[in-house]
């Protein structure tokens, strides 16, 4: 059975409070042996670190763009302190989840930008890659990366154009694919998954979010049952979509995407 790495999983989310250990067990049972747990705000730094230690995963520390509105300026100092305190923790593999969200209306873009650039500088100074949240914001993110060079990372749940994808790759980034690519109508994402250089692809679930098509409930169905929860055990089935799009075996897909994840987040090899 192939070994898989879920490069983006919010295992600390409240959706997993009732059965977190069972979720990790189910993932292991299908070969998803490593999970990368990104933070979203200072308040969950300890949670992702502890979960990574308890379950043998890895974690990232950062302030997510959708949490910037409620973050204090001093949270950037707290991130800096946390990166220093845990500098020699082998399970700390990146700064993230950071980025820009230009999709959700009404957000303070200037404040997002300030937090993004400040966190890039912290990643650069710590010598860590970054895990990026990209939503209608690829060009602005790229501009920041050209100003403040970081040692690569992952553009997670990538949804930009082919030109933008190539620019991220040229800056040393891998692109994260997961539940979205399993939806047949996601033509652009499937085209990218099918045609990007193979070294650029990593797999992720973004659990509990971005359910694959077999878990997805449309608006009418959600009237009678809640949106289903995504979980890391779904990763190998998502990978079947990538394998089919590329004409690869599942074993090759696992080996390649795991090697790419190790390139993007070298700390995973520790
Ligand atoms: Zn995320």
């Amino acid at each position: 059975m192939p070994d898989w790495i879920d490069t983006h999983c919010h295992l600390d989310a409240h959706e997993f409070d009732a059965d977190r250990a069972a979720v990790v067990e189910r993932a292991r049972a299908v070969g998803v042996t490593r999970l990368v747990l990104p933070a979203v705000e200072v308040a969950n730094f300890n949670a992702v670190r502890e979960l990574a230690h308890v379950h043998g995963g890895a974690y990232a520390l950062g302030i997510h763009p959708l949490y910037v509105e409620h973050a204090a300026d001093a949270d950037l100092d707290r991130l800096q302190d946390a990166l220093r305190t845990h500098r020699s923790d082998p399970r700390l593999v990146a700064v993230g989840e950071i980025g820009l969200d230009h999709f959700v209306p009404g957000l303070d873009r200037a404040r997002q930008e300030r937090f993004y650039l400040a966190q890039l500088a912290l990643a650069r100074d710590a010598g860590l890659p970054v895990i990026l949240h990209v939503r209608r914001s690829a060009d602005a993110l790229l501009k920041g990366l050209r100003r403040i060079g970081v040692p690569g990372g992952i553009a997670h749940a990538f949804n930009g154009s082919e030109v933008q994808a190539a620019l991220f790759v040229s800056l040393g980034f891998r692109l994260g694919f997961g539940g979205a690519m399993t939806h047949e109508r996601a033509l652009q994402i499937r085209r990218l998954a099918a045609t990007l250089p193979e070294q650029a692809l990593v797999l992720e679930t973004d659990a509990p979010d971005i359910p694959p098509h077999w878990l997805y409930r449309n608006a009418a169905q959600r009237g009678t049952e809640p949106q289903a929860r995504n979980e890391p055990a779904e990763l190998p089935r998502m990978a079947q979509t990538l394998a089919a799009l590329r004409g690869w075996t599942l074993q090759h897909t696992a080996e390649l995407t795991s090697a790419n994840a190790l390139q993007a987040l070298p700390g995973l090899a520790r």
Side-chain angles (χ1 to χ4, degrees):
M1 184 174 68
D3 261 345
W4 303 95
I5 300 175
D6 184 350
T7 62
H8 201 108
C9 169
H10 296 282
L11 188 64
D12 62 302
H14 68 85
E15 285 88 341
F16 296 120
D17 283 350
D19 62 346
R20 195 167 281 110
V23 166
V24 174
E25 257 327 295
R26 277 198 291 277
R28 280 224 180 97
V30 295
V32 184
T33 50
R34 274 179 291 185
L35 310 177
V36 180
L37 315 182
V40 294
E41 58 177 337
V42 169
N44 84 332
F45 285 4
N46 279 334
V48 294
R49 183 170 52 80
E50 282 166 16
L51 286 170
H53 280 267
V54 168
H55 296 294
Y59 68 102
L61 297 176
I63 301 164
H64 188 293
L66 295 179
Y67 288 76
V68 161
E69 306 267 314
H70 301 289
D73 284 359
D75 286 357
L76 290 168
D77 302 321
R78 294 167 74 189
L79 172 59
Q80 182 171 34
D81 291 344
L83 292 171
R84 286 201 182 125
T85 302
H86 304 293
R87 177 171 44 196
S88 51
D89 183 349
R91 299 192 183 278
L92 173 62
V93 298
V95 169
E97 174 173 358
I98 67 171
L100 298 168
D101 195 306
H102 290 173
F103 176 74
V104 175
L107 298 177
D108 181 343
R109 286 195 185 181
R111 188 170 175 77
Q112 281 193 57
E113 174 98 4
R114 188 156 64 76
F115 271 68
Y116 170 54
L117 294 175
Q119 293 185 94
L120 285 183
L122 292 176
R124 178 198 58 200
D125 295 348
L128 285 171
V130 298
I131 296 174
L132 291 179
H133 173 97
V134 190
R135 213 148 52 138
R136 305 263 167 94
S137 57
D139 289 334
L141 290 169
L142 287 161
K143 198 170 149 208
L145 291 171
R146 280 187 219 103
R147 268 174 67 182
I148 302 171
V150 297
I154 295 173
H156 122 82
F158 190 76
N159 55 15
S161 70
E162 274 150 82
V163 171
Q164 289 164 336
L167 289 168
F168 277 105
V169 172
S170 75
L171 291 169
F173 277 75
R174 273 74 183 174
L175 309 180
F177 290 87
M181 101 186 132
T182 68
H183 295 267
E184 270 178 15
R185 280 178 302 172
L187 296 177
Q188 172 64 7
I189 287 171
R190 288 165 77 95
R191 184 158 48 233
L192 286 169
T195 60
L196 279 173
E198 62 179 26
Q199 294 82 0
L201 307 169
V202 296
L203 289 167
E204 61 172 48
T205 59
D206 200 23
D209 300 323
I210 318 191
H213 81 78
W214 54 90
L215 293 179
Y216 188 75
R217 309 278 174 266
N218 64 31
Q221 291 166 327
R222 284 200 297 275
T224 52
E225 49 181 330
Q227 184 60 272
R229 183 186 70 174
N230 191 10
E231 63 172 79
E234 301 293 343
L235 192 87
R237 193 167 164 197
M238 294 174 188
Q240 288 176 16
T241 298
L242 180 61
L245 287 168
R246 304 287 308 213
W248 292 338
T249 64
L250 215 51
Q251 183 66 37
H252 177 72
T253 307
E255 284 167 9
L256 179 81
T257 56
S258 293
N260 291 346
L262 289 167
Q263 290 282 328
L265 308 175
L268 282 173
R270 287 192 289 255

